[in-house]
Amino acid sequence: MAAIGKYKERVQIYSRTLTKDALGQQVASYSLLYTLWARYIPGGGGESFEAKEKTARSYAEFQVRYQGITLNEAQRLVWTQNGVEFDFNITSIDQNGFREYYSIKCLAKDN
Protein backbone atom coordinates (compact mmCIF):
# COMPACT_ATOMS: atom_id res chain seq x y z
CA MET A 1 0.00 0.00 0.00
CA ALA A 2 1.29 3.46 -0.89
CA ALA A 3 2.06 5.68 2.09
CA ILE A 4 -0.34 8.60 2.41
CA GLY A 5 2.53 10.95 3.36
CA LYS A 6 3.90 10.70 -0.19
CA TYR A 7 0.88 12.58 -1.57
CA LYS A 8 1.85 16.18 -0.82
CA GLU A 9 0.87 18.02 -4.00
CA ARG A 10 -2.59 19.30 -4.92
CA VAL A 11 -3.68 18.66 -8.50
CA GLN A 12 -6.89 19.40 -10.31
CA ILE A 13 -8.41 17.29 -13.07
CA TYR A 14 -10.52 19.10 -15.69
CA SER A 15 -12.84 17.62 -18.30
CA ARG A 16 -12.91 19.00 -21.82
CA THR A 17 -16.11 20.03 -23.59
CA LEU A 18 -16.30 21.19 -27.18
CA THR A 19 -18.76 23.97 -28.01
CA LYS A 20 -19.24 26.23 -31.01
CA ASP A 21 -18.57 29.95 -30.98
CA ALA A 22 -20.55 32.62 -32.84
CA LEU A 23 -18.71 31.78 -36.08
CA GLY A 24 -19.44 28.06 -35.78
CA GLN A 25 -15.85 27.19 -34.87
CA GLN A 26 -15.29 24.50 -32.24
CA VAL A 27 -13.90 25.86 -28.99
CA ALA A 28 -12.66 23.75 -26.08
CA SER A 29 -13.71 24.68 -22.56
CA TYR A 30 -12.73 22.94 -19.34
CA SER A 31 -14.63 22.30 -16.12
CA LEU A 32 -13.21 21.11 -12.81
CA LEU A 33 -13.93 17.46 -12.02
CA TYR A 34 -11.63 16.54 -9.12
CA THR A 35 -9.15 18.09 -6.72
CA LEU A 36 -6.76 15.40 -5.48
CA TRP A 37 -3.66 14.90 -3.38
CA ALA A 38 -0.83 13.60 -5.56
CA ARG A 39 2.79 12.57 -5.57
CA TYR A 40 4.84 14.44 -8.20
CA ILE A 41 7.60 12.55 -10.03
CA PRO A 42 9.58 14.69 -12.50
CA GLY A 43 10.15 13.08 -15.86
CA GLY A 44 12.59 15.44 -17.54
CA GLY A 45 12.08 17.55 -20.60
CA GLY A 46 13.70 19.17 -23.55
CA GLU A 47 13.41 21.62 -26.40
CA SER A 48 12.89 21.11 -30.12
CA PHE A 49 11.86 23.05 -33.19
CA GLU A 50 8.33 22.54 -34.50
CA ALA A 51 7.08 24.53 -37.48
CA LYS A 52 10.15 26.79 -37.18
CA GLU A 53 9.35 27.64 -33.55
CA LYS A 54 11.19 26.57 -30.45
CA THR A 55 9.00 24.32 -28.30
CA ALA A 56 9.75 23.27 -24.72
CA ARG A 57 8.41 20.03 -23.31
CA SER A 58 8.19 18.85 -19.74
CA TYR A 59 7.22 15.33 -18.74
CA ALA A 60 5.85 14.38 -15.35
CA GLU A 61 4.13 11.58 -13.52
CA PHE A 62 1.56 12.12 -10.81
CA GLN A 63 0.42 9.33 -8.54
CA VAL A 64 -3.00 9.65 -6.89
CA ARG A 65 -4.70 7.23 -4.55
CA TYR A 66 -7.36 5.03 -6.08
CA GLN A 67 -10.75 6.53 -5.21
CA GLY A 68 -13.07 4.93 -7.74
CA ILE A 69 -12.94 8.02 -9.96
CA THR A 70 -12.96 8.05 -13.76
CA LEU A 71 -9.81 9.32 -15.45
CA ASN A 72 -8.98 9.43 -19.16
CA GLU A 73 -6.55 10.96 -21.63
CA ALA A 74 -9.06 13.58 -22.82
CA GLN A 75 -8.84 15.29 -19.44
CA ARG A 76 -6.30 17.88 -18.34
CA LEU A 77 -4.24 17.97 -15.14
CA VAL A 78 -3.33 21.29 -13.51
CA TRP A 79 -0.64 21.53 -10.84
CA THR A 80 0.34 24.71 -8.98
CA GLN A 81 3.83 25.05 -7.54
CA ASN A 82 5.04 28.22 -5.81
CA GLY A 83 2.13 30.18 -7.27
CA VAL A 84 2.85 29.07 -10.86
CA GLU A 85 0.17 27.02 -12.61
CA PHE A 86 1.29 24.19 -14.91
CA ASP A 87 -1.15 22.68 -17.42
CA PHE A 88 -0.50 19.10 -18.45
CA ASN A 89 -2.01 16.93 -21.16
CA ILE A 90 -2.61 13.45 -19.80
CA THR A 91 -0.83 10.93 -22.03
CA SER A 92 -1.52 7.69 -20.12
CA ILE A 93 -3.15 6.39 -16.96
CA ASP A 94 -2.19 3.13 -15.27
CA GLN A 95 -3.84 1.55 -12.25
CA ASN A 96 -1.12 0.13 -10.02
CA GLY A 97 -1.79 -2.55 -7.48
CA PHE A 98 -5.29 -3.70 -6.71
CA ARG A 99 -7.12 -0.41 -6.23
CA GLU A 100 -4.02 1.15 -4.72
CA TYR A 101 -3.16 4.15 -6.89
CA TYR A 102 -3.29 5.62 -10.38
CA SER A 103 -0.12 6.59 -12.19
CA ILE A 104 -0.89 9.56 -14.47
CA LYS A 105 1.77 10.35 -17.07
CA CYS A 106 1.62 13.88 -18.47
CA LEU A 107 3.18 16.24 -20.97
CA ALA A 108 3.36 20.04 -20.71
CA LYS A 109 4.17 21.81 -23.94
CA ASP A 110 5.09 25.47 -24.17
CA ASN A 111 5.98 27.48 -27.26
Side-chain angles (χ1 to χ4, degrees), residues 13 34 61-64 66 69-77 89-96 101-106:
I13 305 292
Y34 311 110
E61 178 180 342
F62 293 90
Q63 294 176 347
V64 298
Y66 178 85
I69 60 178
T70 302
L71 297 172
N72 62 57
E73 288 84 3
Q75 295 166 338
R76 182 172 79 171
L77 184 144
N89 294 326
I90 297 173
T91 57
S92 70
I93 302 162
D94 297 315
Q95 183 177 332
N96 296 294
Y101 65 94
Y102 292 109
S103 180
I104 306 168
K105 293 191 173 74
C106 301

Side-chain angles (χ1 to χ4, degrees), residues 2-111:
I4 291 174
K6 291 182 180 181
Y7 302 99
K8 299 177 181 178
E9 306 293 333
R10 272 318 234 184
V11 297
Q12 296 175 319
I13 305 292
Y14 289 84
S15 69
R16 180 178 144 173
T17 305
L18 291 175
T19 57
K20 291 190 177 186
D21 64 10
L23 299 174
Q25 303 281 340
Q26 284 195 342
V27 178
S29 62
Y30 293 88
S31 56
L32 178 64
L33 284 179
Y34 311 110
T35 300
L36 307 166
W37 287 106
R39 177 182 180 201
Y40 167 67
I41 302 168
E47 293 180 337
S48 64
F49 283 92
E50 292 180 12
K52 298 182 182 181
E53 289 187 20
K54 195 175 198 178
T55 301
R57 287 190 171 90
S58 177
Y59 300 94
E61 178 180 342
F62 293 90
Q63 294 176 347
V64 298
R65 285 185 289 133
Y66 178 85
Q67 299 175 25
I69 60 178
T70 302
L71 297 172
N72 62 57
E73 288 84 3
Q75 295 166 338
R76 182 172 79 171
L77 184 144
V78 176
W79 172 52
T80 304
Q81 182 185 39
N82 299 325
V84 178
E85 193 173 274
F86 297 92
D87 292 331
F88 287 92
N89 294 326
I90 297 173
T91 57
S92 70
I93 302 162
D94 297 315
Q95 183 177 332
N96 296 294
F98 180 71
R99 295 186 175 177
E100 190 173 341
Y101 65 94
Y102 292 109
S103 180
I104 306 168
K105 293 191 173 74
C106 301
L107 167 67
K109 192 171 163 184
D110 185 31
N111 56 345

